[in-house]
């Protein structure tokens, strides 16, 4: 679960002259669920996490929990603000994926058209209340007892790794778990959450102050900075709940010696004794994938922590150490496999985006299209003039909603563009309309004869 997206209270007033607002269909959320803890969805607005912008079809894609919202825009009239600073629509290319955004729109011809998009800026925290990584690292090395580190993020985020020694007091459910705070109102409290744009730790600090706590600080950069410099802590039950039960891929590394590992191992673990890790760093997934790497030893001791820090030095940014190690796993009641884990190469395949199909599957379908499959080309006409896959139907993404009746309902529809961006947007439109569909999330080149080459991302 992600953090709440707040917006300037003056935004609705600034947009009042745009025209009549159209409420989004009740079946689709217009803001992430966590935001509902703070405020109601605003008519004529959608909030989410910026995923893509397609200038050829003039569309922006937001992620809203498990849903996707596609909003069209006119670059001549769209207003763009990043942390309150006016930007040009062209600068949307520079916005990082996952940045919180709120779009004001009007409806025209059955489609949402953005009039303004605002990207969230840093949450305000008094300078004297801020602490940095070095300060928090010193506390972690000191050990718990004389202070409390408080992770203000929702439980699912906490389960995916947190700063060692932290207590989870989620801001959205503060009233239900406030009893986790210490009885001593003078104990130092340090709140953190999902980075400088996240409001949860500053808001939690204010609530603690209102309860009479005298010594409160905020580690503003929070988990996003910490995990680039140090390891995250996790627990056996969190591995099961956050990764195994949700079928989220992860790399599990057993760093014990072969003699120690004879007692058994966690299913799927790669045997890599700590002394050999440095020589095998290149076998790990590319750092840009941010693959969850879960490290354990026998008891959650210095061995696993040293390996985790070696991985972080190599550029990995999602390294987690299992509290209690293998003994902690067994104490939680989870089964282990007998014998030493196989000394196999590290393997990791990120979970594909919803609707994305494998490159090999697309190649087979496009080269020998069966009667129950349609390849839908959502590029523009000028792009298609340079070559199209034989038998494909061309409907530019920006025209798809108006021409949906041309797409047969009795076929599986596979969309493609040139890079995968517009194809994903088309997939969500088709899915919402009840089609059995998928899309190619890759780059593709097509010549005049219809021959094509796909390059996986």
């Amino acid at each position: 679960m992600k953090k709440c997206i707040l917006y300037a209270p003056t935004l609705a007033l600034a947009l009042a002259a745009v025209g009549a607002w159209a409420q989004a269909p009740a079946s689709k959320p217009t803001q992430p669920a966590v935001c509902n803890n703070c405020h109601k969805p605003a008519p004529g607005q959608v909030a989410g996490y910026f995923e893509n912008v397609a200038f050829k079809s003039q569309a922006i894609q937001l992620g809203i929990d498990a849903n996707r919202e596609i909003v069209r825009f006119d670059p001549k009239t769209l207003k763009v603000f990043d942390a309150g600073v006016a930007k040009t629509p062209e600068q949307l290319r520079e916005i990082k994926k996952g940045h919180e955004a709120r779009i004001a729109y009007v409806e025209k011809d059955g489609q949402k058209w953005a009039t303004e998009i605002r990207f969230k800026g840093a949450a305000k925290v008094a300078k004297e209340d801020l602490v940095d990584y070095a300060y928090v690292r010193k506390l972690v090395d000191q050990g718990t007892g004389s202070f409390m580190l408080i992770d203000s993020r929702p439980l699912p985020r906490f389960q995916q790794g947190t700063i060692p020694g932290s207590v989870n007091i989620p801001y959205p459910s503060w009233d239900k778990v406030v009893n986790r705070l210490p009885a001593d109102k003078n104990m130092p409290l340090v709140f953190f959450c999902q980075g400088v744009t996240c409001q949860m730790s500053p808001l939690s600090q204010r609530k603690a102050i209102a309860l009479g706590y005298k010594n409160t600080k905020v580690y503003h950069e929070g988990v996003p900075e910490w995990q680039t410099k140090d390891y995250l802590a996790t627990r056996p039950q969190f591995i099961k709940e956050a990764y195994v039960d949700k079928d989220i891929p992860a790399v599990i590394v057993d760093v014990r010696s072969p003699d120690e590992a004879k007692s058994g191992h966690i299913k799927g673990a790669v045997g890599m004794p700590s002394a050999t890790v440095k020589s095998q760093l290149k076998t790990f997934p590319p750092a840009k994938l941010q693959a969850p790497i879960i490290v354990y030893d026998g008891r959650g001791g210095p061995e696993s922590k040293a390996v985790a820090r070696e991985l972080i030095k190599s550029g990995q940014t999602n390294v987690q150490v299992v509290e209690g190690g293998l003994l902690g796993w067994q104490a939680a009641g989870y089964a282990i496999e007998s014998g030493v884990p196989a000394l196999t190469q590290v393997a990791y395949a990120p979970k594909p985006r919803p609707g994305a199909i494998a490159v090999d599957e697309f190649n087979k379908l496009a080269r020998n299209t069966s009667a129950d499959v349609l390849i839908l080309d959502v590029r523009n006409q000028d792009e298609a003039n340079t070559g199209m896959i034989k038998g494909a139907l061309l409907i530019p993404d920006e025209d798809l909603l108006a021409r949906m009746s041309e797409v047969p309902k009795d076929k599986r529809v596979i969309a493609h563009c040139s890079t995968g961006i517009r194809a994903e947007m088309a997939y969500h439109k088709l899915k919402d309309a009840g089609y059995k569909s998928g899309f190619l999330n890759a780059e593709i080149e097509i010549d005049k004869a219809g021959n094509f080459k796909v390059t996986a991302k």
Side-chain angles (χ1 to χ4, degrees):
M1 187 182 296
K2 294 196 176 183
K3 55 189 177 296
C4 177
I5 302 166
L6 301 181
Y7 60 97
T10 57
L11 180 57
L13 293 176
L15 295 169
V18 171
W21 299 118
Q23 188 74 27
S27 59
K28 288 186 69 175
T30 57
Q31 65 181 20
V34 68
C35 293
N36 297 326
N37 291 287
C38 304
H39 50 266
K40 295 180 180 179
Q45 296 179 20
V46 288
Y49 304 94
F50 180 77
E51 293 192 340
N52 284 311
V53 59
F55 278 87
K56 289 180 178 177
S57 60
Q58 298 181 346
I60 297 167
Q61 179 172 306
L62 294 184
I64 307 176
D65 296 333
N67 299 282
R68 299 296 180 274
E69 185 69 64
I70 312 298
V71 183
R72 299 288 307 281
F73 70 93
D74 182 344
K76 295 178 182 178
T77 60
L78 178 67
K79 295 179 181 179
V80 180
F81 296 91
D82 185 4
V85 178
K87 302 282 187 179
T88 66
E90 186 66 24
Q91 288 175 297
L92 287 171
R93 300 182 191 273
E94 302 167 10
I95 300 294
K96 291 183 179 179
K97 290 185 178 182
H99 198 357
E100 305 97 313
R102 185 170 288 271
I103 295 176
Y105 67 88
V106 292
E107 284 210 2
K108 184 170 58 176
D109 299 327
Q111 297 187 62
K112 293 181 177 70
W113 284 82
T115 57
E116 179 178 279
I117 180 168
R118 285 183 177 265
F119 293 96
K120 189 177 178 183
K124 292 182 180 180
V125 180
K127 188 175 181 180
E128 61 270 21
D129 287 345
L130 294 172
V131 295
D132 59 11
Y133 163 78
Y135 181 96
V136 179
R137 171 67 190 273
K138 187 176 179 180
L139 292 180
V140 171
D141 290 343
Q142 174 184 324
T144 58
S146 60
F147 65 91
M148 181 179 281
L149 283 175
I150 300 171
D151 190 333
S152 301
R153 302 174 302 159
L155 178 61
R157 280 286 196 178
F158 182 76
Q159 289 177 324
Q160 292 174 358
T162 188
I163 297 174
S166 300
V167 174
N168 188 213
I169 304 181
Y171 174 74
S173 53
W174 174 273
D175 293 336
K176 296 179 181 178
V177 294
V178 69
N179 60 340
R180 295 176 186 172
L181 287 171
D184 182 2
K185 297 291 179 74
N186 292 310
M187 178 179 283
L189 309 180
V190 179
F191 296 89
F192 66 91
C193 54
Q194 199 65 21
V196 296
T197 63
C198 181
Q199 296 273 2
M200 295 186 193
S201 53
L203 292 175
S204 294
Q205 183 206 24
R206 292 176 203 170
K207 282 184 173 286
I209 291 172
L211 290 173
Y213 286 88
K214 312 291 186 188
N215 190 354
T216 64
K217 300 291 182 182
V218 174
Y219 173 34
H220 211 196
E221 285 74 13
V223 172
E225 179 186 64
W226 180 273
Q227 64 186 38
T228 66
K229 297 174 180 286
D230 222 324
Y231 68 87
L232 299 170
T234 190
R235 302 172 189 171
Q237 61 266 36
F238 292 169
I239 298 171
K240 184 175 184 298
E241 293 170 6
Y243 295 99
V244 177
D245 291 349
K246 294 180 181 178
D247 194 28
I248 295 176
V251 176
I252 302 176
V253 185
D254 185 327
V255 300
R256 297 172 299 158
S257 69
D259 285 341
E260 291 178 292
K262 287 178 182 177
S263 61
H265 61 276
I266 296 174
K267 182 180 180 180
V270 175
M272 192 177 293
S274 59
T276 70
V277 170
K278 197 168 184 178
S279 65
Q280 299 192 59
L281 290 174
K282 291 183 179 178
T283 68
F284 283 83
K288 67 180 181 180
L289 294 179
Q290 295 185 310
I293 301 176
I294 298 168
V295 182
Y296 74 89
D297 56 20
R299 298 175 179 271
E303 198 172 24
S304 57
K305 296 171 185 176
V307 167
R309 286 177 172 145
E310 193 66 51
L311 287 164
I312 291 161
K313 271 195 224 176
S314 74
Q316 298 292 343
T317 58
N318 192 2
V319 184
Q320 304 170 37
V321 170
V322 181
E323 293 179 353
L326 187 68
L327 285 179
W329 180 269
Q330 291 176 289
Y334 303 134
I336 62 172
E337 294 194 340
S338 60
V340 180
L343 297 175
T344 56
Q345 186 176 4
V346 174
Y348 174 76
K351 196 168 185 177
R353 297 181 68 82
I357 68 170
V359 170
D360 288 347
E361 183 182 4
F362 179 84
N363 285 336
K364 290 177 182 177
L365 292 173
R367 290 196 171 106
N368 187 20
T369 308
S370 61
D372 60 348
V373 172
L374 172 70
I375 303 299
L376 181 65
D377 188 334
V378 297
R379 298 174 300 161
N380 294 343
Q381 183 66 59
D382 58 344
E383 296 173 279
N385 290 341
T386 64
M388 283 184 61
I389 293 173
K390 293 177 182 178
L393 172 64
L394 176 68
I395 301 180
D397 174 56
E398 61 267 33
D399 298 334
L400 183 56
L401 286 177
R403 297 174 56 185
M404 195 74 78
S405 61
E406 298 176 35
V407 183
K409 275 264 190 179
D410 60 345
K411 295 191 177 188
R412 182 187 179 199
V413 183
I414 306 299
H416 83 82
C417 59
S418 56
T419 64
I421 293 176
R422 286 170 288 169
E424 183 176 10
M425 293 180 178
Y427 157 74
H428 287 292
K429 293 171 187 173
L430 291 162
K431 177 174 169 285
D432 289 346
Y435 285 84
K436 182 181 179 183
S437 59
F439 75 99
L440 175 67
N441 187 25
E443 296 182 359
I444 184 170
E445 298 176 12
I446 311 170
D447 65 19
K448 279 282 189 183
N451 300 310
F452 62 90
K453 177 184 177 182
V454 178
T455 303
K457 292 185 177 180

